[in-house]
């Protein structure tokens, strides 16, 4: 609180990010880029470095409770990169870009798009899907590989992704960890819903490399 990082401010920002205009939330976060706010920075770092370990130790009920607030947690744990935020804010300020909630049917007409959304209908020259995929979703490019692994005895995790051995990251095939296949990153279904950070992914990759060269 002495550094201006009061809990009441954090709670108010979270509430606005859940119910308010996303452009306003983005402006508020961008305006705080240069502020120390040590509490928030510590929490963000811990979320991405220790979050995966803590997540695996949580009871199922606690995981479900956190998933119910996934959007608010993601907004606070992974704010937009300042350079990208500045570009988007310039586009929003110029009226070139508009953020629509609850987009539904999108149709092409006369070289433009008609977008039905929660507030009515908008016409646009271009439409960008900014909705995050579900946690542990399988990328299209990886679908053939995942299908092949499933056909050889691998299993989908109940939370999405593939079932892996949490201690080693080895893919579980036929009910047992397979030492030949290791999973690093969000394809592992036992991790949290936040996208794996670059340092976290590097640590998982290092663990996988060590496992591959160690005696089985």
């Amino acid at each position: 609180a002495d550094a201006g990082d009061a809990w009441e401010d954090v709670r108010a920002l979270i509430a606005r990010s859940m119910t308010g205009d996303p452009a306003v939330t983005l402006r508020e976060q961008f305006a705080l880029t240069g502020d120390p706010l040590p509490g928030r920075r510590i929490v963000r770092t811990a979320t991405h470095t220790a979050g995966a370990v803590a997540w695996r130790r949580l009871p199922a009920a606690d995981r479900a409770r956190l998933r119910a607030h996934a959007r608010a947690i993601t907004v606070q744990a992974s704010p937009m990169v300042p350079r990208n935020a500045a570009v988007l804010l310039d586009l929003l300020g110029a009226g070139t870009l508009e953020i629509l909630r609850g987009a539904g049917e999108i149709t092409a007409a006369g070289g433009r798009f008609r977008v039905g959304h929660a507030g009515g209908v908008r016409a646009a020259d271009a439409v960008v899907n900014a909705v995050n995929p579900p946690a542990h979703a399988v990328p299209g490019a990886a679908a053939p590989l995942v299908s092949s692994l499933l056909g050889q005895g691998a299993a989908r995790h109940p939370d999405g992704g593939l079932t892996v051995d949490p201690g080693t990251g080895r893919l579980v095939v036929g009910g047992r960890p397979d030492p030949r296949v290791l999973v690093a990153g969000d394809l592992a279904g036992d991790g949290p819903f936040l996208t794996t950070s670059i340092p976290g992914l590097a640590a998982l990759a290092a663990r996988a490399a060590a496992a591959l060269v160690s005696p089985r």
Side-chain angles (χ1 to χ4, degrees):
D2 292 340
D5 202 8
W7 166 243
E8 290 301 324
D9 295 337
V10 176
R11 185 166 63 179
L13 182 60
I14 292 173
R16 289 194 297 274
S17 71
M18 290 294 294
T19 60
D21 184 346
V24 173
T25 300
L26 181 61
R27 289 190 185 94
E28 290 184 350
Q29 289 190 327
F30 183 70
L32 295 173
T33 299
D35 291 350
L37 300 177
R40 270 176 257 192
R41 294 184 185 276
I42 291 171
V43 170
R44 286 170 184 165
T45 301
T47 299
H48 288 287
T49 55
V53 176
W55 178 265
R56 294 183 178 96
R57 298 185 179 184
L58 290 175
D62 289 343
R63 291 189 185 190
R65 189 176 299 111
L66 288 173
R67 284 196 194 94
H69 301 285
R71 182 173 178 273
I73 293 172
T74 301
V75 168
Q76 300 306 318
S78 304
M80 187 175 292
V81 175
R83 182 178 179 83
N84 295 348
V87 172
L88 287 183
L89 289 173
D90 285 344
L91 293 173
L92 288 166
T96 307
L97 176 67
E98 184 178 5
I99 301 174
L100 301 178
R101 284 182 167 178
E105 184 179 7
I106 301 175
T107 57
R112 304 190 76 197
F113 295 96
R114 288 176 57 83
V115 183
H117 64 103
V121 178
R122 286 285 194 280
D125 295 322
V127 178
V128 178
N129 180 9
V131 178
N132 292 335
H136 314 296
V138 177
L145 172 61
V146 171
S147 296
S148 175
L149 293 172
L150 292 173
Q152 297 177 64
R156 291 191 182 276
H157 192 277
D159 296 336
L162 296 172
T163 300
V164 303
D165 176 56
T168 63
R170 289 170 174 160
L171 182 68
V172 174
V173 179
R176 301 179 62 181
D178 190 326
R180 302 169 300 173
V181 184
L182 293 102
V183 181
D186 298 321
L187 195 57
D190 65 335
F193 49 79
L194 293 172
T195 301
T196 305
S197 65
I198 298 301
L201 186 59
L204 292 171
R207 183 182 71 172
L212 287 172
V213 299
S214 64
R216 298 177 183 175

